PDB file of all heavy atoms in Angstrom:
ATOM      1  N   SER A 908      33.913 -89.097 -79.823  1.00 98.00           N
ATOM      2  CA  SER A 908      33.997 -88.691 -81.179  1.00 98.00           C
ATOM      3  C   SER A 908      33.121 -89.802 -81.947  1.00 98.00           C
ATOM      4  O   SER A 908      33.114 -90.933 -81.637  1.00 98.00           O
ATOM      5  CB  SER A 908      35.421 -88.851 -81.708  1.00 98.00           C
ATOM      6  OG  SER A 908      35.410 -89.082 -83.120  1.00 98.00           O
ATOM      7  N   THR A 909      32.219 -89.266 -82.758  1.00 98.00           N
ATOM      8  CA  THR A 909      31.322 -90.190 -83.640  1.00 98.00           C
ATOM      9  C   THR A 909      32.195 -91.207 -84.378  1.00 98.00           C
ATOM     10  O   THR A 909      31.759 -92.330 -84.598  1.00 98.00           O
ATOM     11  CB  THR A 909      30.408 -89.392 -84.462  1.00 98.00           C
ATOM     12  OG1 THR A 909      31.127 -88.586 -85.297  1.00 98.00           O
ATOM     13  CG2 THR A 909      29.354 -88.649 -83.695  1.00 98.00           C
ATOM     14  N   ASN A 910      33.370 -90.848 -84.760  1.00 98.00           N
ATOM     15  CA  ASN A 910      34.182 -91.787 -85.423  1.00 98.00           C
ATOM     16  C   ASN A 910      34.593 -92.896 -84.514  1.00 98.00           C
ATOM     17  O   ASN A 910      34.678 -94.065 -85.032  1.00 98.00           O
ATOM     18  CB  ASN A 910      35.532 -91.124 -85.974  1.00 98.00           C
ATOM     19  CG  ASN A 910      35.358 -90.486 -87.375  1.00 98.00           C
ATOM     20  OD1 ASN A 910      34.302 -89.980 -87.717  1.00 98.00           O
ATOM     21  ND2 ASN A 910      36.480 -90.389 -88.128  1.00 98.00           N
ATOM     22  N   GLN A 932      30.396 -83.477 -79.085  1.00 98.00           N
ATOM     23  CA  GLN A 932      31.529 -84.400 -78.912  1.00 98.00           C
ATOM     24  C   GLN A 932      32.434 -83.846 -77.950  1.00 98.00           C
ATOM     25  O   GLN A 932      32.760 -82.663 -77.942  1.00 98.00           O
ATOM     26  CB  GLN A 932      32.295 -84.551 -80.266  1.00 98.00           C
ATOM     27  CG  GLN A 932      31.390 -85.071 -81.420  1.00 98.00           C
ATOM     28  CD  GLN A 932      32.186 -85.364 -82.605  1.00 98.00           C
ATOM     29  OE1 GLN A 932      32.370 -86.509 -83.104  1.00 98.00           O
ATOM     30  NE2 GLN A 932      32.760 -84.362 -83.149  1.00 98.00           N
ATOM     31  N   GLY A 935      36.166 -84.266 -80.213  1.00 98.00           N
ATOM     32  CA  GLY A 935      36.048 -84.292 -81.718  1.00 98.00           C
ATOM     33  C   GLY A 935      37.470 -84.089 -82.255  1.00 98.00           C
ATOM     34  O   GLY A 935      38.290 -83.407 -81.830  1.00 98.00           O
ATOM     35  N   ARG A 936      37.648 -84.946 -83.324  1.00 97.00           N
ATOM     36  CA  ARG A 936      38.976 -84.918 -83.993  1.00 97.00           C
ATOM     37  C   ARG A 936      38.864 -84.357 -85.404  1.00 97.00           C
ATOM     38  O   ARG A 936      37.983 -84.515 -86.181  1.00 97.00           O
ATOM     39  CB  ARG A 936      39.527 -86.360 -84.240  1.00 97.00           C
ATOM     40  CG  ARG A 936      39.693 -87.278 -82.978  1.00 97.00           C
ATOM     41  CD  ARG A 936      40.551 -88.360 -83.311  1.00 97.00           C
ATOM     42  NE  ARG A 936      39.938 -89.482 -84.192  1.00 97.00           N
ATOM     43  CZ  ARG A 936      39.097 -90.345 -83.787  1.00 97.00           C
ATOM     44  NH1 ARG A 936      38.965 -90.512 -82.426  1.00 97.00           N
ATOM     45  NH2 ARG A 936      38.689 -91.214 -84.633  1.00 97.00           N
ATOM     46  N   GLY A 937      39.882 -83.513 -85.754  1.00 96.00           N
ATOM     47  CA  GLY A 937      39.973 -83.051 -87.092  1.00 96.00           C
ATOM     48  C   GLY A 937      41.103 -83.796 -87.802  1.00 96.00           C
ATOM     49  O   GLY A 937      41.696 -84.661 -87.320  1.00 96.00           O
ATOM     50  N   ARG A 938      41.395 -83.370 -89.081  1.00 93.00           N
ATOM     51  CA  ARG A 938      42.573 -83.996 -89.800  1.00 93.00           C
ATOM     52  C   ARG A 938      43.847 -83.510 -89.193  1.00 93.00           C
ATOM     53  O   ARG A 938      43.921 -82.587 -88.454  1.00 93.00           O
ATOM     54  CB  ARG A 938      42.571 -83.459 -91.233  1.00 93.00           C
ATOM     55  CG  ARG A 938      41.372 -84.165 -92.096  1.00 93.00           C
ATOM     56  CD  ARG A 938      41.453 -83.600 -93.586  1.00 93.00           C
ATOM     57  NE  ARG A 938      42.785 -83.796 -94.196  1.00 93.00           N
ATOM     58  CZ  ARG A 938      43.446 -82.900 -94.645  1.00 93.00           C
ATOM     59  NH1 ARG A 938      43.188 -81.602 -94.575  1.00 93.00           N
ATOM     60  NH2 ARG A 938      44.649 -83.104 -95.166  1.00 93.00           N
ATOM     61  N   TRP A 943      38.553 -80.898 -83.223  1.00 97.00           N
ATOM     62  CA  TRP A 943      37.355 -80.398 -83.851  1.00 97.00           C
ATOM     63  C   TRP A 943      36.479 -79.901 -82.806  1.00 97.00           C
ATOM     64  O   TRP A 943      35.834 -80.774 -82.066  1.00 97.00           O
ATOM     65  CB  TRP A 943      36.752 -81.414 -84.844  1.00 97.00           C
ATOM     66  CG  TRP A 943      35.698 -80.806 -85.600  1.00 97.00           C
ATOM     67  CD1 TRP A 943      34.357 -80.844 -85.329  1.00 97.00           C
ATOM     68  CD2 TRP A 943      35.761 -79.953 -86.862  1.00 97.00           C
ATOM     69  NE1 TRP A 943      33.577 -80.228 -86.288  1.00 97.00           N
ATOM     70  CE2 TRP A 943      34.463 -79.691 -87.286  1.00 97.00           C
ATOM     71  CE3 TRP A 943      36.930 -79.584 -87.612  1.00 97.00           C
ATOM     72  CZ2 TRP A 943      34.222 -78.920 -88.372  1.00 97.00           C
ATOM     73  CZ3 TRP A 943      36.543 -78.846 -88.715  1.00 97.00           C
ATOM     74  CH2 TRP A 943      35.245 -78.471 -89.046  1.00 97.00           C
ATOM     75  N   PHE A 953      28.786 -86.049 -87.299  1.00 98.00           N
ATOM     76  CA  PHE A 953      28.311 -87.406 -87.528  1.00 98.00           C
ATOM     77  C   PHE A 953      29.392 -88.189 -88.293  1.00 98.00           C
ATOM     78  O   PHE A 953      30.285 -87.644 -89.003  1.00 98.00           O
ATOM     79  CB  PHE A 953      26.935 -87.395 -88.243  1.00 98.00           C
ATOM     80  CG  PHE A 953      26.967 -86.732 -89.683  1.00 98.00           C
ATOM     81  CD1 PHE A 953      26.943 -87.625 -90.760  1.00 98.00           C
ATOM     82  CD2 PHE A 953      26.922 -85.448 -89.818  1.00 98.00           C
ATOM     83  CE1 PHE A 953      26.963 -87.117 -92.068  1.00 98.00           C
ATOM     84  CE2 PHE A 953      27.015 -84.812 -91.074  1.00 98.00           C
ATOM     85  CZ  PHE A 953      26.926 -85.756 -92.277  1.00 98.00           C
ATOM     86  N   SER A 954      29.154 -89.603 -88.276  1.00 98.00           N
ATOM     87  CA  SER A 954      29.957 -90.425 -89.007  1.00 98.00           C
ATOM     88  C   SER A 954      29.247 -91.538 -89.740  1.00 98.00           C
ATOM     89  O   SER A 954      28.218 -92.002 -89.177  1.00 98.00           O
ATOM     90  CB  SER A 954      31.002 -91.042 -88.084  1.00 98.00           C
ATOM     91  OG  SER A 954      31.789 -90.186 -87.329  1.00 98.00           O
ATOM     92  N   ASP A 996      38.013 -79.603 -97.342  1.00 95.00           N
ATOM     93  CA  ASP A 996      37.449 -78.585 -96.567  1.00 95.00           C
ATOM     94  C   ASP A 996      36.391 -77.917 -97.296  1.00 95.00           C
ATOM     95  O   ASP A 996      36.543 -77.550 -98.555  1.00 95.00           O
ATOM     96  CB  ASP A 996      38.581 -77.552 -96.111  1.00 95.00           C
ATOM     97  CG  ASP A 996      39.670 -78.038 -95.181  1.00 95.00           C
ATOM     98  OD1 ASP A 996      39.438 -79.212 -94.706  1.00 95.00           O
ATOM     99  OD2 ASP A 996      40.559 -77.266 -94.919  1.00 95.00           O
ATOM    100  N   LYS A1003      36.464 -71.693 -93.092  1.00 97.00           N
ATOM    101  CA  LYS A1003      36.122 -73.100 -93.144  1.00 97.00           C
ATOM    102  C   LYS A1003      34.812 -73.387 -92.317  1.00 97.00           C
ATOM    103  O   LYS A1003      34.628 -72.934 -91.263  1.00 97.00           O
ATOM    104  CB  LYS A1003      37.267 -73.971 -92.356  1.00 97.00           C
ATOM    105  CG  LYS A1003      36.975 -75.386 -92.405  1.00 97.00           C
ATOM    106  CD  LYS A1003      38.235 -76.165 -92.219  1.00 97.00           C
ATOM    107  CE  LYS A1003      37.949 -77.616 -91.901  1.00 97.00           C
ATOM    108  NZ  LYS A1003      39.135 -78.350 -91.965  1.00 97.00           N
ATOM    109  N   GLY A1006      34.204 -79.921 -92.480  1.00 98.00           N
ATOM    110  CA  GLY A1006      35.459 -80.699 -92.889  1.00 98.00           C
ATOM    111  C   GLY A1006      35.112 -82.231 -92.748  1.00 98.00           C
ATOM    112  O   GLY A1006      34.111 -82.593 -92.140  1.00 98.00           O
ATOM    113  N   ILE A1007      35.911 -83.032 -93.402  1.00 97.00           N
ATOM    114  CA  ILE A1007      35.676 -84.369 -93.457  1.00 97.00           C
ATOM    115  C   ILE A1007      36.971 -85.088 -92.908  1.00 97.00           C
ATOM    116  O   ILE A1007      38.132 -84.891 -93.388  1.00 97.00           O
ATOM    117  CB  ILE A1007      35.408 -84.892 -94.764  1.00 97.00           C
ATOM    118  CG1 ILE A1007      34.081 -84.229 -95.389  1.00 97.00           C
ATOM    119  CG2 ILE A1007      35.143 -86.474 -94.876  1.00 97.00           C
ATOM    120  CD1 ILE A1007      33.695 -84.606 -96.783  1.00 97.00           C
ATOM    121  N   LEU A1008      36.759 -86.073 -92.039  1.00 97.00           N
ATOM    122  CA  LEU A1008      37.967 -86.853 -91.573  1.00 97.00           C
ATOM    123  C   LEU A1008      37.564 -88.297 -91.982  1.00 97.00           C
ATOM    124  O   LEU A1008      36.772 -88.944 -91.380  1.00 97.00           O
ATOM    125  CB  LEU A1008      38.036 -86.844 -90.098  1.00 97.00           C
ATOM    126  CG  LEU A1008      39.076 -87.661 -89.325  1.00 97.00           C
ATOM    127  CD1 LEU A1008      40.509 -87.280 -89.663  1.00 97.00           C
ATOM    128  CD2 LEU A1008      38.821 -87.723 -87.799  1.00 97.00           C
ATOM    129  N   GLY A1024      33.872 -89.204 -91.284  1.00 98.00           N
ATOM    130  CA  GLY A1024      33.489 -88.321 -90.146  1.00 98.00           C
ATOM    131  C   GLY A1024      33.264 -86.933 -90.696  1.00 98.00           C
ATOM    132  O   GLY A1024      34.217 -86.390 -91.282  1.00 98.00           O
ATOM    133  N   ILE A1025      32.228 -86.324 -90.513  1.00 98.00           N
ATOM    134  CA  ILE A1025      31.790 -85.084 -91.154  1.00 98.00           C
ATOM    135  C   ILE A1025      31.354 -84.125 -90.078  1.00 98.00           C
ATOM    136  O   ILE A1025      30.431 -84.392 -89.215  1.00 98.00           O
ATOM    137  CB  ILE A1025      30.698 -85.255 -92.189  1.00 98.00           C
ATOM    138  CG1 ILE A1025      31.084 -86.196 -93.217  1.00 98.00           C
ATOM    139  CG2 ILE A1025      30.235 -83.884 -92.702  1.00 98.00           C
ATOM    140  CD1 ILE A1025      30.190 -86.397 -94.385  1.00 98.00           C
ATOM    141  N   GLY A1026      31.972 -82.962 -90.051  1.00 98.00           N
ATOM    142  CA  GLY A1026      31.643 -81.845 -89.060  1.00 98.00           C
ATOM    143  C   GLY A1026      31.171 -80.682 -89.853  1.00 98.00           C
ATOM    144  O   GLY A1026      31.851 -80.160 -90.762  1.00 98.00           O
TER     145      GLY A1026
HETATM  146  C1  LIG B 428      38.815 -81.624 -90.666  1.00 51.12           C
HETATM  147  O1  LIG B 428      39.803 -81.500 -90.036  1.00 51.12           O
HETATM  148  O2  LIG B 428      38.568 -80.783 -91.490  1.00 51.12           O
HETATM  149  C2  LIG B 428      38.011 -82.817 -90.357  1.00 51.12           C
HETATM  150  C3  LIG B 428      36.901 -82.566 -89.307  1.00 51.12           C
HETATM  151  C4  LIG B 428      35.944 -83.735 -89.016  1.00 51.12           C
HETATM  152  C5  LIG B 428      35.088 -83.473 -87.915  1.00 51.12           C
HETATM  153  C6  LIG B 428      34.164 -84.593 -87.779  1.00 51.12           C
HETATM  154  S1  LIG B 428      32.736 -84.166 -86.581  1.00 51.12           S
HETATM  155  C7  LIG B 428      32.293 -85.848 -86.620  1.00 51.12           C
HETATM  156  C8  LIG B 428      33.402 -86.744 -86.815  1.00 51.12           C
HETATM  157  N1  LIG B 428      33.884 -87.028 -85.392  1.00 51.12           N
HETATM  158  C9  LIG B 428      35.167 -86.553 -85.221  1.00 51.12           C
HETATM  159  O3  LIG B 428      35.760 -86.659 -84.147  1.00 51.12           O
HETATM  160  N2  LIG B 428      35.449 -85.841 -86.289  1.00 51.12           N
HETATM  161  C10 LIG B 428      34.637 -85.948 -87.412  1.00 51.12           C
END
Side-chain angles (χ1 to χ4, degrees):
S908 154
T909 53
N910 272 33
Q932 296 184 121
R936 303 197 286 275
R938 288 176 58 241
W943 186 264
F953 66 102
S954 304
D996 289 355
K1003 180 157 167 172
I1007 303 178
L1008 173 70
I1025 301 184

